[in-house]
Amino acid sequence: MYPGWLLSLLFCFGLLGAVLITGFARWRGATPEILVMAGIILTSLFQSGTSLLQYVSTDVELASVISWMFGDMAKASWPKVGVQFLVLIPAMAFFVYNSFNFNALSAGDDVAGSLGVNVNRLRLIAVMVASLCAAVATAFFGIIAFVGLIIPHVTRWLVGYNDRIVLITSAILGGVFLLMADILSRTVVAPVVIPVGIVTSFVGAPFFLFLLITRVRKR
């Protein structure tokens, strides 16, 4: 189990990254593709800090950092699952409760504001809640990439654009996808276990490339 100060630190840095990206979006009115590029640039900046930690670490510490960066579901335990539930259940309730507001927000800030949505407050709270969820999951299991990027897109293709349905379905499909990736990581070269973060990256990267290509063609 990780100490509270470490989870707080992870939450603060996750929130910092989210605030910087959303602030950039409001400043320039960026498209989703540009936001992703901004996220990649910010990721490279944070990775340079991680690389510095690796450089000054001992052999044992370096092995721990590398294992965390791969993402590994083998680190799961019931106490960690309990902490996940304490964070994720209220977070899910918040997003489902505000699903109408998010539907309005998807139509634009002006439309949402005309419907009585406090756009700035909603966006700030949503970023904070999402950052807390990501911080807890990443602290326990490491970096497991592309789950939160590809699953919402797949969900919208399957069930449409009603955020109440999308949120619930994304949570279910995200868990199923991660479970399937974990099973694959344990069986593809058994008895060797591949970190699940590597499997999700192999699946997610081509999908994201396909997503970018289809968006470009539509334009």
Side-chain angles (χ1 to χ4, degrees):
M1 187 65 66
Y2 289 89
W5 67 266
L6 182 55
L7 289 175
S8 300
L9 188 63
L10 288 165
F11 168 66
C12 290
F13 274 99
L15 182 60
L16 175 62
V19 168
L20 288 175
I21 292 176
T22 54
F24 178 78
R26 293 191 62 189
W27 178 48
R28 287 297 187 183
T31 63
E33 290 82 4
I34 294 178
L35 285 181
V36 171
M37 293 302 298
I40 293 173
I41 293 171
L42 197 59
T43 298
S44 299
L45 176 62
F46 285 133
Q47 283 181 344
S48 64
T50 305
S51 299
L52 178 62
L53 291 177
Q54 294 180 43
Y55 183 77
V56 300
S57 297
T58 64
D59 291 341
V60 176
E61 293 170 340
L62 180 60
S64 298
V65 172
I66 292 176
S67 175
W68 176 82
M69 292 180 65
F70 284 156
D72 189 3
M73 295 299 294
K75 299 176 182 178
S77 63
W78 285 115
K80 293 179 180 179
V81 172
V83 174
Q84 293 278 308
F85 268 99
L86 288 176
V87 174
L88 294 180
I89 296 302
M92 195 66 189
F94 164 79
F95 284 113
V96 172
Y97 178 78
N98 286 280
S99 58
F100 170 80
N101 296 333
F102 288 117
N103 280 327
L105 191 62
S106 64
D109 290 4
D110 294 336
V111 174
S114 67
L115 293 174
V117 179
N118 190 327
V119 174
N120 292 331
R121 185 179 67 180
L122 177 65
R123 184 176 283 119
L124 176 61
I125 296 176
V127 166
M128 292 180 65
V129 174
S131 297
L132 178 60
C133 295
V136 174
T138 305
F140 289 152
F141 306 116
I143 302 173
I144 302 176
F146 286 102
V147 178
L149 183 61
I150 66 175
I151 294 302
H153 288 291
V154 173
T155 303
R156 289 183 184 276
W157 288 345
L158 294 176
V159 302
Y161 290 84
N162 187 330
D163 280 335
R164 181 184 295 272
I165 300 175
V166 168
L167 286 166
I168 297 174
T169 308
S170 292
I172 297 172
L173 292 182
V176 171
F177 172 70
L178 186 58
L179 179 61
M180 293 176 62
D182 187 55
I183 293 174
L184 184 62
S185 70
R186 297 171 186 273
T187 57
V188 65
V189 289
V192 178
V193 178
I194 302 174
V196 68
I198 296 177
V199 177
T200 58
S201 295
F202 268 118
V203 175
F207 176 86
F208 184 63
L209 180 61
F210 167 77
L211 184 65
L212 289 177
I213 292 174
T214 55
R215 281 182 175 270
V216 170
R217 286 180 178 176
K218 288 180 180 180
R219 294 177 181 178

